[in-house]
Amino acid sequence: MTTQVIRAACPHDCPDTCAMLVTVEDGVATSVKGDPDHPNTAGVLCTKVARYLERTYHPERLLYPLKRTGKKGEGKFQRVSWEEALRLISSRLRAIADRDPRAILPYSYAGTMGVVQGESMAMRFFNRLGASQLERTICSAAGGIGIKYTLGAKMGMDTEQYENSKLILLWGGNPIASNLHLWMRAQEAKRRGAVLIAIDPYRSLTAEKCDHHIPLLPGTDAALALGMMHLLIQHDLLDHDYIENYTLGYDQLKHRVAEWTPEKTAQICGISAAQVEMLACLYGETAQRGDPVAIRVNYGVQRAHGGGMAVRNIACLPALVGAWRHPAGGILISSGETYPKNEQPLQRPDLMPQDVARPQRTINMSTIGDDLLRPASPSFGPAIEALVVYNSNPVAVAPESAKVESGFAREDLFTVVLEHFQTDTVDYADIVLPATTQLEHTDIHASYGHLYIVANNPAIAPLGEAKPNSEIFRLLAASMGFDDPLFKESDDDIAAQAFDATHPHARQFDWTQLKHDGWMKLDVPDAPFAHGGFPTPSGKCEFYSERMKSDGFDPLPTYLPPYESIASAPELAAKYPLAMISPPQRNFLNTTFVNVKSLRDTEGEPYLEMHPSDANSRSIADGDMVRIFNDRGTLLAKAHVTTNTREGLVVALSIWWKKLASDGKNANELTSQRLTDMGRAPTFYDVLVQVEKA
Ligand SMILES: Nc1nc2c(c(=O)[nH]1)N[C@H]1C(S)=C(S)[C@@H](COP(=O)(O)OP(=O)(O)OC[C@H]3O[C@@H](n4cnc5c(=O)[nH]c(N)nc54)[C@H](O)[C@@H]3O)O[C@H]1N2
Ligand SMILES: Nc1nc2c(c(=O)[nH]1)N[C@H]1C(S)=C(S)[C@@H](COP(=O)(O)OP(=O)(O)OC[C@H]3O[C@@H](n4cnc5c(=O)[nH]c(N)nc54)[C@H](O)[C@@H]3O)O[C@H]1N2
Ligand SMILES: [Mo]
């Protein structure tokens, strides 16, 4: 028997991007473990990826190309050869491209976060084709823009430093579920005497374990940050020297936050003035003592109307108290832009045809429901005639499902899906192509949590006739007659170009070495903004932002209420009085892993958490089936009556495969396609519903 241990990377959409060790015996993977030597992974994998073999060797893996035989959505297919599948796809795409290639749309997100199996060969293909561009907004676009206005880039604290913090605000995130290795650092900090505070409308697994929980109303975080700034200034809990040297617009900010008294803040956030005081004073006083104060701001705050502004406001706090002076102080939303990614050579935007009669067209992935149903028009351009979906499950994850499904059900739409499993989206495909999993292909990974580049070596041969995405796009390019040499580059060639080794952060980057070592840390200073140096236009932390002004926003921190809330939409709230959020279940990763039985069994069935007073007034008992509805749709779930939610808030942990739910639906039946203030991102947690006993 031959036994090998292969260095690999977890590919999933999670800030932790774990370094993994895969044991292979006679060509079969027999164990997947966290690399004990990798400082972030520390030998620990989450419950989901610890089951990666169950997913890889799942009896329902797609192993052969398929062609549709039933109606769209029915999920009936017959096996075809790769030659036949490629011929069917290229002849159809060529016919559409001859009329207008912009009628073809790629739809992809972060099923794998790998550079090779993500947007490299695929983007070269779609750019060369002249297809519509996809605006990838579904997750982090609002906060990404918000943080950039204040700090200049998506970068910040090193997650490894959180264990040295003395106060950690976990703001709109549930790291026990979705950023496990940060939670491990937070627990270490707590053992060393730190105070942990969760700011979250819901008592999540994480909030339950923190010292304090501030259960504000969804979509009101921008107001809470304004109220904190008011108090920091009023009580003079400031670092005047830091403000003077490294920030812009303090006087205007001071003027702006004057009206944000604890009472006004509390009223908008649905909490008490004492809670606002406690939060601001703990933050300011800890910093005044010279102790590091840290904020981890996550995705929960971005999924409402004012999500961009909320992140922009929260990002002002560390500079006010001088938290950036310490490696263990500051804020992190994403470390993504610390990596010098080589997008130009990987994606080759220069291949896009320059045709004045057909200017480039961009489609927002978050409004795919509306856009698939839109006819051709001068402002929109051609109707979408073909979709090529990879690394994503839009039928389940995109908002306002009823529209998304009607779009995918169009008989005249040609849909190709590259997948591991027969997802809700695959059910609507004309052609299905089987993709390899992380154990079967090569890749290289950045992270949006830590600061390492992680290599993924293939551990086993592809199962069945599955192929890597990169290879599928190479084959599609060949069958479309694209013969440029860049479509012949291997996965190793692509990985070797992933990062710019002339950039100071990645001077040690060398793919051959990395494949052997498994991972390397970027070369960045411990306290990136200790002496200013913010990548903003002024080089300072911008309380006042000229760029925001020219982009049409208020240049100072402000509060934009949710689209759907009792305070901001009283007429709608009269019909649908309950706010609904649908954050991730611990044992699923978006919709990935929902079909892994052991993980699904842990989560049971779709349920709706509601407060006892909301349940009682509707005669709903724990365990009853309930109907959740609004103007966009209706969903069934089992009621869990619990004080983990606040009055007026219901929580539908997500994201279920629709076909695995009793009514064939999930929470996106109720979400809307309205977009955030910044970044044109979805407002998944800005939703009003009514609930009744089913
Ligand atoms: N297990 C698991 N891990 C994941 C994922 C997963 O699906 N499952 N998804 C991955 C992805 S794609 C992402 S983007 C990240 C997400 O990472 P996080 O943002 O840490 O993840 P969530 O678990 O969604 O936590 C969001 C929290 O925000 C709260 N929240 C909702 N609305 C508001 C609000 O208006 N204000 C505040 N302050 N809080 C609010 C929710 O109750 C929830 O507890 O996690 C990644 N990791
Ligand atoms: N209601 C509600 N909706 C949400 C959210 C929410 O909190 N609430 N969260 C939103 C967020 S943050 C995000 S990021 C999106 C996530 O949306 P998606 O990025 O679409 O994530 P998944 O649902 O996990 O689907 C990824 C798919 O990619 C496939 N895949 C994985 N690796 C590969 C590969 O190598 N090749 C190919 N071809 N396929 C592969 C997986 O099998 C899986 O079916 O959902 C959003 N939708
Ligand atoms: Mo996400």
Side-chain angles (χ1 to χ4, degrees):
M1 190 169 82
T2 61
T3 302
Q4 283 175 287
V5 176
I6 306 292
R7 291 192 174 277
C10 174
H12 291 293
D13 188 351
C14 167
D16 296 28
T17 310
C18 289
M20 310 196 296
L21 299 176
V22 184
T23 305
V24 182
E25 296 177 22
D26 287 338
V28 177
T30 54
S31 92
V32 176
K33 295 219 156 65
D35 182 345
D37 298 327
H38 182 247
N40 198 67
T41 308
V44 178
L45 293 180
C46 67
T47 49
K48 308 173 292 302
V49 178
R51 308 272 167 76
Y52 204 69
L53 295 179
E54 206 181 318
R55 186 174 188 277
T56 306
Y57 293 115
H58 196 294
E60 289 159 13
R61 268 286 299 278
L62 294 170
L63 298 176
Y64 308 99
L66 303 171
K67 180 173 100 173
R68 177 165 67 93
T69 55
K71 286 213 293 273
K72 294 240 175 173
E74 263 181 9
K76 291 196 184 136
F77 298 100
Q78 76 181 50
R79 182 174 165 183
V80 293
S81 67
W82 269 102
E83 292 68 33
E84 162 112 9
L86 291 166
R87 191 180 52 72
L88 288 169
I89 296 168
S90 58
S91 63
R92 188 70 182 261
L93 293 187
R94 205 176 295 119
I96 297 171
D98 284 346
R99 289 193 303 279
D100 189 337
R102 301 172 306 165
I104 300 166
L105 178 70
Y107 195 103
S108 69
Y109 202 62
T112 168
M113 303 275 303
V115 173
V116 179
Q117 308 308 334
E119 311 310 334
S120 45
M121 199 50 86
M123 284 306 292
R124 293 176 179 184
F125 175 79
F126 291 110
N127 285 336
R128 169 71 178 74
L129 185 60
S132 282
Q133 298 285 307
L134 184 73
E135 216 179 337
R136 291 187 173 77
T137 56
I138 204 156
C139 174
S140 59
I145 296 199
I147 204 102
K148 280 194 216 183
Y149 282 134
T150 305
L151 303 182
K154 285 202 270 185
M155 55 206 307
M157 281 182 68
D158 179 346
T159 37
E160 286 172 39
Q161 289 290 346
Y162 278 77
E163 64 191 29
N164 300 318
S165 307
K166 285 292 174 248
L167 174 71
I168 304 179
L169 308 187
L170 296 165
W171 201 321
N174 180 14
I176 292 185
S178 41
N179 190 182
L180 182 65
H181 299 81
L182 180 92
W183 177 249
M184 289 160 53
R185 302 274 174 184
Q187 275 183 307
E188 178 57 26
K190 194 171 175 182
R191 281 189 287 271
R192 299 178 187 177
V195 174
L196 310 187
I197 306 185
I199 304 175
D200 191 318
Y202 169 61
R203 200 195 308 145
S204 67
L205 294 170
T206 303
E208 197 174 279
K209 296 202 165 49
C210 286
D211 299 284
H212 302 281
H213 173 208
I214 313 277
L216 80 182
L217 288 168
T220 64
D221 302 272
L224 184 58
L226 285 160
M228 286 177 73
M229 292 193 259
H230 173 100
L231 286 166
L232 292 172
I233 292 171
Q234 188 195 0
H235 297 314
D236 194 23
L237 296 169
L238 302 171
D239 184 331
H240 291 283
D241 182 61
Y242 194 91
I243 292 170
E244 171 77 29
N245 289 303
Y246 308 127
T247 73
L248 186 74
Y250 173 71
D251 291 333
Q252 289 119 303
L253 178 76
K254 183 175 174 182
H255 189 248
R256 168 58 58 91
V257 302
E259 62 173 300
W260 285 92
T261 60
E263 292 70 30
K264 173 177 170 157
T265 305
Q267 197 254 327
I268 287 178
C269 298
I271 54 180
S272 69
Q275 283 172 308
V276 185
E277 289 267 4
M278 179 275 291
L279 180 64
C281 291
L282 257 179
Y283 186 73
E285 285 164 5
T286 309
Q288 286 284 300
R289 280 202 304 271
D291 282 338
V293 293
I295 301 176
R296 172 64 169 146
V297 60
N298 277 79
Y299 297 85
V301 307
Q302 309 182 28
R303 311 220 186 286
H305 173 203
M309 190 64 78
V311 171
R312 182 268 191 283
N313 294 4
I314 295 166
C316 292
L317 291 163
L320 276 179
V321 301
W324 289 115
R325 291 184 187 278
H326 304 268
I331 187 169
L332 180 72
I333 189 165
S334 162
S335 57
E337 289 177 351
T338 320
Y339 293 81
K341 293 181 190 143
N342 250 342
E343 280 172 6
Q344 209 288 335
L346 292 173
Q347 306 188 356
R348 296 298 301 271
D350 56 298
L351 295 174
M352 270 186 269
Q354 302 298 323
D355 182 346
V356 279
R358 290 170 179 169
Q360 250 315 306
R361 192 256 299 268
T362 299
I363 299 287
N364 185 347
M365 70 187 302
S366 303
T367 53
I368 190 67
D370 279 345
D371 289 340
L372 282 178
L373 298 173
R374 239 184 263 284
S377 74
S379 59
F380 181 62
I384 299 169
E385 291 181 60
L387 268 178
V388 182
V389 181
Y390 55 101
N391 300 343
S392 185
N393 184 10
V395 168
V397 307
E400 208 176 351
S401 272
K403 294 223 176 120
V404 179
E405 285 190 4
S406 339
F408 271 83
R410 272 174 44 200
E411 276 300 329
D412 62 334
L413 179 73
F414 179 67
T415 303
V416 179
V417 184
L418 286 63
E419 253 299 349
H420 297 153
F421 293 104
Q422 189 168 341
T423 60
D424 292 315
T425 303
V426 167
D427 284 346
Y428 288 87
D430 293 279
I431 305 285
V432 184
L433 300 175
T436 46
T437 68
Q438 190 78 342
L439 299 194
E440 300 150 65
H441 57 225
T442 296
D443 221 324
I444 179 166
H445 290 255
S447 161
Y448 61 97
H450 58 63
L451 297 170
Y452 295 82
I453 302 175
V454 189
N456 186 69
N457 294 291
I460 58 171
L463 300 192
E465 293 183 3
K467 294 183 191 297
N469 292 344
S470 54
E471 178 63 11
I472 296 176
F473 285 105
R474 274 192 285 267
L475 291 169
L476 276 173
S479 83
M480 295 288 288
F482 301 163
D483 49 15
D484 328 35
L486 56 99
F487 290 113
K488 308 240 160 30
E489 283 183 10
S490 68
D491 289 356
D492 280 307
D493 294 337
I494 294 174
Q497 298 168 63
F499 301 102
D500 174 6
T502 65
H503 189 284
H505 290 177
R507 270 199 285 262
Q508 306 300 318
F509 171 60
D510 172 75
W511 173 237
T512 308
Q513 187 67 37
L514 188 77
K515 278 207 290 190
H516 175 265
D517 297 347
W519 41 267
M520 62 161 273
K521 194 168 188 180
L522 296 177
D523 193 2
V524 284
D526 267 352
F529 307 131
H531 309 287
F534 292 92
T536 52
S538 65
K540 296 185 169 184
C541 172
E542 298 197 350
F543 300 142
Y544 177 93
S545 163
E546 200 58 51
R547 243 185 336 180
M548 291 184 78
K549 194 172 166 196
S550 62
D551 293 346
F553 298 107
D554 192 323
L556 286 166
T558 186
Y559 168 62
L560 300 167
Y563 291 118
E564 302 191 6
S565 72
I566 292 180
S568 58
E571 279 174 31
L572 189 68
K575 279 200 289 183
Y576 307 121
L578 300 169
M580 185 191 84
I581 58 173
S582 52
Q585 283 274 21
R586 180 182 193 177
N587 288 294
F588 304 152
L589 196 124
N590 301 319
T591 67
T592 305
F593 295 102
V594 179
N595 65 326
V596 174
K597 192 167 179 305
S598 62
L599 293 168
R600 188 170 70 253
D601 287 350
T602 318
E603 302 297 7
E605 60 189 307
Y607 55 85
L608 184 78
E609 292 176 69
M610 58 193 304
H611 190 269
S613 71
D614 293 324
N616 290 341
S617 61
R618 291 169 177 77
S619 308
I620 292 167
D622 190 59
D624 283 350
M625 282 305 282
V626 293
R627 191 175 295 118
I628 314 148
F629 58 98
N630 60 20
D631 287 340
R632 294 178 287 267
T634 301
L635 175 71
L636 293 177
K638 187 175 257 187
H640 279 191
V641 178
T642 165
T643 52
N644 284 345
T645 71
R646 46 175 299 155
E647 225 177 309
L649 176 74
V650 294
V651 181
L653 295 180
S654 288
I655 309 172
W656 279 85
W657 277 32
K658 296 177 173 190
K659 65 170 105 176
L660 295 176
S662 65
D663 61 347
K665 292 174 178 174
N666 72 15
N668 282 319
E669 207 64 23
L670 302 165
T671 55
S672 90
Q673 292 182 75
R674 293 185 83 166
L675 301 175
T676 49
D677 56 342
M678 296 172 197
R680 294 162 47 76
T683 52
F684 289 117
Y685 306 163
D686 188 337
V687 176
L688 284 174
V689 297
Q690 180 56 293
V691 178
E692 62 186 25
K693 204 162 152 166

